[in-house]
């Protein structure tokens, strides 16, 4: 694993909370992707060379794809570590989304972290804990709602003293 001080993780809402994220041509998706891209680039310039994504459909997968773009632009100076809750995470997704997910996992197969061997009631919670415990910074897309996995992950990151950058979805 990489030194924690060089690691940044992501958290954010899924497409069920931000349905427009499912459409790459939506102006809100493009605007959020641009804002995340700037945050990821700035993090790299500040010394973060390892990025962890929980690979959920929505913000996580978008961030993973952006990190891979940065990796290509920096000739491999950046690493992406997909942290999945269990092996079947994407099994029920639409084919297009499964394809995007599997492409990322294929590129990063040597850095893949699988938190639980199968689905359990706590696998997503444990995945989120893993992300926070292995990073010094978190970039989040958060609508301010006081419940859900993004809220819990950000609260845990606050407790652990991670540097935080939050974006509000439109």
């Amino acid at each position: 694993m990489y030194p924690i001080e060089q690691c940044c993780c992501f958290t954010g809402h899924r497409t069920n909370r931000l349905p427009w994220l499912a459409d790459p041509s939506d102006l809100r998706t493009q605007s959020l992707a641009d804002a995340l891209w700037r945050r990821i680039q700035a993090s790299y310039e500040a010394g973060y060379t390892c990025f962890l994504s929980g690979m959920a459909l929505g913000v996580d997968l978008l961030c993973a794809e952006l990190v891979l773009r940065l990796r290509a632009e920096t000739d491999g100076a950046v690493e992406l570590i997909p942290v999945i809750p269990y092996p079947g995470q994407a099994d029920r997704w639409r084919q297009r989304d499964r394809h995007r997910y599997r492409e990322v996992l294929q590129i990063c197969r040597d850095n893949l972290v699988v938190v639980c061997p199968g689905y359990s009631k706590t696998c997503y919670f444990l995945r989120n804990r893993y992300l926070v415990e292995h990073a010094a910074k978190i970039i989040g897309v958060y609508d301010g709602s006081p419940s859900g996995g993004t809220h819990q992950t950000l609260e845990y990151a606050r407790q652990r003293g991670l540097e935080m950058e939050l974006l509000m979805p439109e």
Side-chain angles (χ1 to χ4, degrees):
M1 192 58 150
Y2 297 85
I4 286 178
E5 61 272 7
Q6 295 175 6
C7 295
C8 175
C9 66
F10 303 104
T11 191
H13 300 300
R14 297 181 189 175
T15 53
N16 63 336
R17 190 85 153 253
L18 304 174
W20 45 266
L21 267 179
D23 180 3
S25 67
D26 190 295
L27 293 178
R28 294 167 292 184
T29 302
Q30 293 171 9
S31 176
L32 180 60
D34 290 343
L36 285 166
W37 174 247
R38 289 189 300 275
R39 300 288 175 115
I40 292 167
Q41 281 185 306
S43 296
Y44 169 68
E45 291 167 6
Y48 290 95
T49 57
C50 175
F51 294 85
L52 294 88
S53 171
M55 297 298 292
L57 185 57
V59 170
D60 288 0
L61 187 54
L62 175 60
C63 288
E65 292 168 331
L66 292 170
V67 169
L68 290 179
R69 176 177 153 198
L70 181 62
R71 179 180 169 181
E73 290 185 11
T74 60
D75 293 322
V78 169
E79 287 297 332
L80 173 65
I81 299 177
V83 180
I84 64 172
Y86 67 102
Q89 177 179 13
D91 287 354
R92 295 184 183 173
W93 296 1
R94 294 181 310 190
Q95 184 175 355
R96 182 187 79 211
D97 297 324
R98 282 195 318 268
H99 177 73
R100 290 174 55 208
Y101 175 86
R102 289 182 181 138
E103 277 189 336
V104 172
L105 294 187
Q106 180 63 31
I107 293 167
C108 302
R109 65 184 170 274
D110 295 334
N111 289 329
L112 178 65
V113 173
V114 180
V115 177
C116 296
Y119 175 79
S120 71
K121 289 182 180 181
T122 60
C123 65
Y124 290 98
F125 173 82
L126 294 171
R127 186 261 330 259
N128 294 343
R129 291 281 170 143
Y130 184 97
L131 292 168
V132 170
E133 290 170 359
H134 290 85
K137 178 178 182 174
I138 189 166
I139 297 173
V141 176
Y142 179 52
D143 65 7
S145 40
S147 63
T150 299
H151 173 76
Q152 292 171 356
T153 303
L154 289 170
E155 282 303 310
Y156 188 51
R158 255 190 214 96
Q159 291 169 12
R160 292 193 51 98
L162 270 66
E163 178 184 345
M164 300 177 78
E165 291 190 27
L166 298 179
L167 298 166
M168 289 288 289
E170 294 182 20

